[in-house]
Amino acid sequence: MTSTLPRPQAPAPPPGGPELHTPAKRYVQPPPAWRSSVLAPAAAGVATLCASTSLTGVVGGASWLGYVAVTVVLVACTGLALRSVRTPTPLVGLAQLVVLLLLVTGVFTSSGLLTVIPGPAALSELNDVLVSAFDQIRTGLPPVDPTPPILCLVTIAMGMVAVLVDTLAVAASAPAATGLVLLCVYAVPASLSDSMLPWWTFLLGASAFAALLAVDGNHRHRRWRNRDSPGTNRSPAAASAPVAVVALALVCGLVAGTAITAVGTVGRLPGSGRNGQGAGSGGLGVNPFTSLRGMLDQGDTVDLFRVRGLGNDRRLLRAFTLDTYRPNQGWSLPDGPMPAGYPADRTLPAAPGDDGTGESRRIDIEPVNWVDVWLPVYGALRGLQGVSPGWYYDPDSGAVFSERKQHMQPYTELASLAEPTKEQLETAPDRGASLPAVYTRINGVDPRVVTLTQQITAGQATTFDKATAIWRYFTAENGFTYDTRTAAATDSDALADFLLKGKRGFCEQFASAMAVMLRVLGIPSRVAVGFTTGYPDGDYRLITSQDAHAWVEVYFGEDLGWVSFDPTPRSDGRGYVPPYLQSGSASTDPSTQDDQEVPSVSTTHQAPTGAPTAQEDGTGANGDPQAAGAGSAPGWTGWIALGIVLLAIALTVAAFAGARLARGRVRWLPLAAVGAWLLAVLLSAWLVHWTLSLVLLVVVGAVLAPAVLREVARRRRRRAIVGREPGAADAAWAELLDECADRGLPIPPSDTVRVAAQKVAHQHHLDEHGQDHLRTVVGVVERSWYSPGAEPEDPQRFASAFEGVRESLRRNAPMSWRGRLFPRSVFRRR
């Protein structure tokens, strides 16, 4: 039986005279289908990731980059998967936002349903995390420490940017409009950072954006090669669509630029005040603010100072003092310019309470990772050696400061460490006539706090007795507990809530509350910010970020000056109770409580040496396992992930080289490269959090399941064909029908074999060899159906013909990315 498939015939020469030679039109093989569907979202994701490197100016460390990378990959893969099944664009963007929400819930909360599904408890927990992040931004100093709240905020922000860039570049086909979005990403850190952003982040961003435009331009060139140019013979609506997208993006960019300008362009974060300067790259600074509410996240341990010359004396190291109380917020520096001050490298005026007759202690201070506008000092400062010009001393506040933050070289302080006796303090006058009025000014105090203060100090005659009574009030006997998080707000007044209801907090709350209560009584007071005594390490004392602290200083007249009172409980051995506050009753001594004070600082440098951190034993701050780092994988996982990334890069290069040199004969290389990249992403996600790796694994499994099922069926049929099993002809025909369905040409079951074969040959543009192989396959199928007793075809020739048809399909009708990932033959009814 012969096939009726048409054979190609040479056209007959037209009548008439000779013609000019016209070169034959060569068939140009179209590019692989995956390029047009994968390159655009991949380029959009890379552009977003490169633009996010600008955050190095405002977020310390590099851990946040892993979160951004995983987020960008999830957004791109979600868009790719949904667009491959022709999901409407609005639903694609909505699904990407849902995936982002699942990611954030699984990584940054512990109350999600099935870990990743946000329920009411998880949303409430996520709200607390974001509130904490905004508090850290409001009071922090760029670059801020990459705490979990900051990581959560960065993940959400860059995830939304990734969705917008993906939508503009892929769905709207307007990649040029993404430039404004990416420019806004650069605008935020550029306006907040004290210094210029690194040059390489601009180079990365510009290169990635250029690549995105190049990918789109190449795609359009291929699309319009045999079509009219855009804008010709097209409807006005179609021609104006890209223009509308670009115009809308321009308006949004201008509005966003205006809003970003309002955030601040003077190198500080909102809420940091006029002196909101802190740590630069590779250093640490303390915040010029104490809050009445909030959460404490200490970050990693960072060595700050090595101090020699103290001997066995233990003193608090003061960086600066805060003299302005802002109701319902906390203590901060006053509004207005910094005081003129005295040049710190010259002779200094006497500090209040220091007549210059006592012993001068020589203290050598070596800054390690300290970068700030403040130069910490001990006791009553008498002189400084080794400081460069540009540092100034203000005797009223006791602070040494500069106009800009900077790394400080080792310096020597000459100071008086003399402390008054209890008898001297009890007989001291109430206040000094020369003291500025700012140290007694107070307003906006809740009447309940005033009443409590009067009750505590009732019967106390002297300033010292009143201050001591308030100091002793902050004990466990009165219900106070040290914690890294203040109690949930139950009152509109934060101070009254802390003193009367919550009674839970860290050093900022204790010091802030005591200073307010003292001013309620008219006693001059201020909040000092600095460091505790640290711990001995060889011939020096080591001060780390764990020692950052806040306490209260009370003024006892010109003869005694400012005297320290530390109301915060400590039990870690770094606290200091001066002799004038020591008593035989350990139960009333705040320093004997069981809770441990941890500092509120913003760091941007990992601790190279120093005290062991809480993270070393697998726990987070204060031994809380929940506060441990987000990563749950062993340390060796990072090295394995790096090795797999390098392997994936090598396989990718080899796959592209093999596609050109071997003309696609080495087919296992692309699969190996994809598998290596997938494994690298999963391991990287595990480093962030095991739940993220689980989410990625489930998503990848769901995406690859149809392709895996299709491959299983394909191998089973080929095994039957090559193995000459009964039903080999049926298996071959079923496989060809599925190949057509996967390419978007389903064959109706009512078609005969020959009609179906004609459709395959014509619509898939089979070449002559492919048509010959198809005739052989059709003949075998017809004989097996209609003449089962006839002499069978040579099995080897039949298997070769079947493979020839598949090869012709691959050459002339390459399968799309959608057809590979989501083959229609798996979903269609049989």
Side-chain angles (χ1 to χ4, degrees), residues 673-716:
V674 171
W677 281 114
L678 178 61
L679 185 58
V681 170
L682 289 176
L683 285 176
S684 300
W686 190 19
L687 290 172
V688 175
H689 200 279
W690 68 269
T691 57
L692 178 57
S693 182
L694 178 62
V695 171
L696 281 176
L697 192 60
V698 171
V699 171
V700 170
V703 170
L704 296 182
V708 171
L709 293 176
R710 179 70 180 88
E711 184 64 24
V712 170
R714 180 182 293 114
R715 290 181 178 274
R716 175 173 52 81

Side-chain angles (χ1 to χ4, degrees), residues 469-476 478 480 498-499 509-510 513-514 517 567-569 590 593:
I470 296 175
W471 175 76
R472 295 187 186 279
Y473 175 69
F474 297 99
T475 61
N478 292 318
F480 286 92
F498 172 72
L499 288 172
Q509 287 77 51
F510 286 98
M514 181 176 177
M517 297 171 77
T568 305
Q593 302 302 319

Side-chain angles (χ1 to χ4, degrees), residues 431-445:
R431 68 179 65 182
S434 61
L435 187 68
V438 66
Y439 292 108
T440 56
R441 185 180 302 126
I442 192 71
N443 58 73
V445 180

Side-chain angles (χ1 to χ4, degrees), residues 341-351 354 356 381-387 391-395 400 414:
Y342 296 86
D345 58 343
R346 303 177 187 175
T347 302
L348 302 179
D354 180 23
L381 179 62
R382 291 181 173 176
L384 288 170
Q385 299 175 1
V387 295
W391 289 94
Y392 301 92
Y393 170 60
D394 176 31
V400 180
L414 298 178

Side-chain angles (χ1 to χ4, degrees), residues 388-656:
S388 57
W391 289 94
Y392 301 92
Y393 170 60
D394 176 31
D396 289 336
S397 65
V400 180
F401 60 92
S402 67
E403 294 293 335
R404 59 182 179 84
K405 66 179 188 223
Q406 54 185 294
H407 288 273
M408 186 59 192
Q409 299 299 319
Y411 59 97
T412 299
E413 177 193 1
L414 298 178
S416 171
L417 300 183
E419 292 182 316
T421 64
K422 182 177 180 180
E423 291 74 16
Q424 289 177 316
L425 294 172
E426 288 178 338
T427 58
D430 290 341
R431 68 179 65 182
S434 61
L435 187 68
V438 66
Y439 292 108
T440 56
R441 185 180 302 126
I442 192 71
N443 58 73
V445 180
D446 191 283
R448 293 170 293 175
V449 176
V450 176
T451 301
L452 175 65
T453 303
Q454 293 172 347
Q455 292 174 350
I456 294 172
T457 59
Q460 306 297 331
T462 67
T463 297
F464 176 74
D465 292 337
K466 293 176 182 179
T468 304
I470 296 175
W471 175 76
R472 295 187 186 279
Y473 175 69
F474 297 99
T475 61
E477 285 81 355
N478 292 318
F480 286 92
T481 304
Y482 174 83
D483 198 349
T484 56
R485 182 193 294 268
T486 56
T490 60
D491 197 293
S492 59
D493 188 87
L495 179 59
D497 195 18
F498 172 72
L499 288 172
L500 301 174
K501 299 177 181 178
K503 296 186 176 183
R504 180 183 298 272
F506 43 97
C507 65
E508 293 186 16
Q509 287 77 51
F510 286 98
S512 298
M514 181 176 177
V516 171
M517 297 171 77
L518 289 169
R519 289 201 180 181
V520 165
L521 300 176
I523 300 175
S525 59
R526 64 191 185 189
V527 175
V529 178
F531 302 90
T532 61
T533 60
Y535 64 92
D537 188 359
D539 61 342
Y540 57 84
R541 295 193 71 85
L542 183 62
I543 309 295
T544 72
S545 57
Q546 306 297 312
D547 295 297
H549 192 47
W551 63 95
V552 178
E553 291 184 347
V554 184
Y555 190 71
F556 282 88
E558 297 180 1
D559 294 336
L560 300 179
W562 293 96
V563 180
S564 298
F565 288 77
D566 185 2
T568 305
R570 298 189 67 95
S571 64
D572 57 355
R574 302 187 187 186
Y576 173 64
V577 180
Y580 50 82
L581 290 177
Q582 295 178 7
S583 65
S585 175
S587 63
T588 59
D589 190 343
S591 66
T592 62
Q593 302 302 319
D594 294 331
D595 299 297
Q596 180 177 347
E597 159 66 10
V598 193
S600 174
V601 295
S602 82
T603 62
T604 62
H605 191 83
Q606 300 291 330
T609 59
T613 67
Q615 286 78 0
E616 292 177 1
D617 60 359
T619 63
N622 306 308
D624 182 7
Q626 297 297 330
S632 55
W636 47 264
T637 310
W639 292 104
I640 293 181
L642 178 60
I644 294 178
V645 168
L646 297 177
L647 176 62
I649 293 175
L651 290 174
T652 302
V653 173
F656 277 101

Side-chain angles (χ1 to χ4, degrees), residues 138-492:
R138 179 174 59 85
T139 61
L141 304 167
V144 296
D145 191 32
T147 60
I150 292 296
L151 293 176
C152 179
L153 184 61
V154 168
T155 300
I156 294 175
M158 293 310 304
M160 297 178 69
V161 170
V163 172
L164 183 57
V165 171
D166 184 78
T167 301
L168 289 174
V170 182
S173 298
T178 65
L180 293 172
V181 180
L182 300 176
L183 188 62
C184 290
V185 175
Y186 280 89
V188 173
S191 64
L192 299 180
S193 179
D194 286 332
S195 57
M196 290 291 294
L197 297 179
W199 62 268
W200 52 265
T201 183
F202 293 101
L203 179 62
L204 283 177
S207 301
F209 182 62
L212 178 59
L213 296 179
V215 167
D216 181 74
N218 181 65
H219 172 61
R220 292 175 184 272
H221 172 70
R222 291 183 180 277
R223 285 183 56 195
W224 296 328
R225 174 176 294 174
N226 298 316
R227 302 186 187 180
D228 294 331
S229 299
T232 60
N233 298 328
R234 301 180 69 181
S235 65
S240 62
V243 177
V245 171
V246 173
L248 180 61
L250 179 61
V251 172
C252 293
L254 293 176
V255 172
T258 304
I260 290 171
T261 302
V263 170
T265 58
V266 292
R268 59 176 180 264
L269 290 173
S272 62
R274 55 163 177 71
N275 295 311
Q277 303 178 36
S281 178
L284 178 145
V286 290
N287 301 331
F289 183 85
T290 63
S291 176
L292 292 172
R293 283 178 177 155
M295 181 179 67
L296 179 64
D297 197 308
Q298 68 182 54
D300 295 325
T301 301
V302 179
D303 295 347
L304 299 180
F305 303 97
R306 296 188 181 98
V307 180
R308 295 175 176 84
L310 282 178
N312 295 326
D313 291 333
R314 304 176 65 183
R315 294 291 190 276
L316 297 173
L317 180 61
R318 181 179 61 252
F320 54 86
T321 58
L322 306 175
D323 54 27
T324 302
Y325 173 69
R326 304 185 187 278
N328 215 35
Q329 296 182 25
W331 290 80
S332 68
L333 294 170
D335 295 326
M338 288 290 287
Y342 296 86
D345 58 343
R346 303 177 187 175
T347 302
L348 302 179
D354 180 23
D355 58 8
T357 59
E359 176 189 4
S360 290
R361 182 70 64 88
R362 182 185 179 92
I363 305 172
D364 296 320
I365 303 176
E366 178 188 355
V368 181
N369 292 304
W370 177 255
V371 181
D372 211 336
V373 297
W374 312 104
L375 191 68
V377 293
Y378 286 98
L381 179 62
R382 291 181 173 176
L384 288 170
Q385 299 175 1
V387 295
S388 57
W391 289 94
Y392 301 92
Y393 170 60
D394 176 31
D396 289 336
S397 65
V400 180
F401 60 92
S402 67
E403 294 293 335
R404 59 182 179 84
K405 66 179 188 223
Q406 54 185 294
H407 288 273
M408 186 59 192
Q409 299 299 319
Y411 59 97
T412 299
E413 177 193 1
L414 298 178
S416 171
L417 300 183
E419 292 182 316
T421 64
K422 182 177 180 180
E423 291 74 16
Q424 289 177 316
L425 294 172
E426 288 178 338
T427 58
D430 290 341
R431 68 179 65 182
S434 61
L435 187 68
V438 66
Y439 292 108
T440 56
R441 185 180 302 126
I442 192 71
N443 58 73
V445 180
D446 191 283
R448 293 170 293 175
V449 176
V450 176
T451 301
L452 175 65
T453 303
Q454 293 172 347
Q455 292 174 350
I456 294 172
T457 59
Q460 306 297 331
T462 67
T463 297
F464 176 74
D465 292 337
K466 293 176 182 179
T468 304
I470 296 175
W471 175 76
R472 295 187 186 279
Y473 175 69
F474 297 99
T475 61
E477 285 81 355
N478 292 318
F480 286 92
T481 304
Y482 174 83
D483 198 349
T484 56
R485 182 193 294 268
T486 56
T490 60
D491 197 293
S492 59

